[in-house]
Amino acid sequence: MKIAIGSDHAGFQRKKEVIGFLTKVGHRVVDLGCYSEDSCDYPDYARKVARAVSLERAERGILICGTGIGMAMAANKFKGVRAAVCWNVKTAALASEHNQANILCLSGRFISTLLGEKMIRAWLKTPFAGGRHQRRIKKIEILETTCKQQK
Ligand code: RB5
């Protein structure tokens, strides 16, 4: 799978680890920055990854900042993006199963490397359940067009 990944300074080290893990298990990873631990602004990297997913240049995206929260807020401004902040394996699996999340937002500061990997595995391998959840996704898509202007 082609996965776009981005972080700010607070997620930089974790991003490096995640790229190593994803590459090892056979995914094609596109690193959209940041590229050092120098302080930077998470919306700049949320924009790059969310744009890639929105334009279908990547099938999925992973965003890492201090908490994952700011990344999700920014990424969810993009059409077709469903970015989920998850904190454990169950919520990561449910983000796929119920919400068809195409971007996973992780904390670089408050979860371990191993937990992050387990969450990514669960998110990637869990299929979308469809059915009533599809109807709800459709309603989110309607909100995208009725609530704000889109580029
Ligand atoms: C940076 O200090 C921090 O605010 C940022 O990484 C993130 O946690 C925001 O949501």
Side-chain angles (χ1 to χ4, degrees), residues 62-122:
I62 295 175
L63 285 165
I64 310 170
C65 62
T67 58
I69 294 169
M71 288 293 200
M73 287 179 174
N76 279 319
K77 302 294 179 193
F78 281 74
K79 191 172 192 306
V81 163
R82 291 177 299 279
V85 189
C86 297
W87 290 94
N88 54 40
V89 174
K90 188 65 186 169
T91 52
L94 283 170
S96 278
E97 189 180 325
H98 287 192
N99 311 109
Q100 204 175 24
N102 46 18
I103 296 185
L104 180 66
C105 300
L106 297 175
S107 165
R109 287 180 174 154
F110 301 107
I111 61 164
S112 69
T113 303
L114 183 61
L115 176 57
E117 287 185 11
K118 285 182 176 172
M119 288 165 63
I120 292 167
R121 279 184 200 278

Side-chain angles (χ1 to χ4, degrees), residues 1-5 18-19 22-23 27-31:
M1 188 182 289
K2 186 174 174 187
I3 301 171
I5 190 165
V18 169
I19 291 170
L22 287 172
T23 307
H27 293 289
R28 192 170 147 216
V29 185
V30 185
D31 183 1

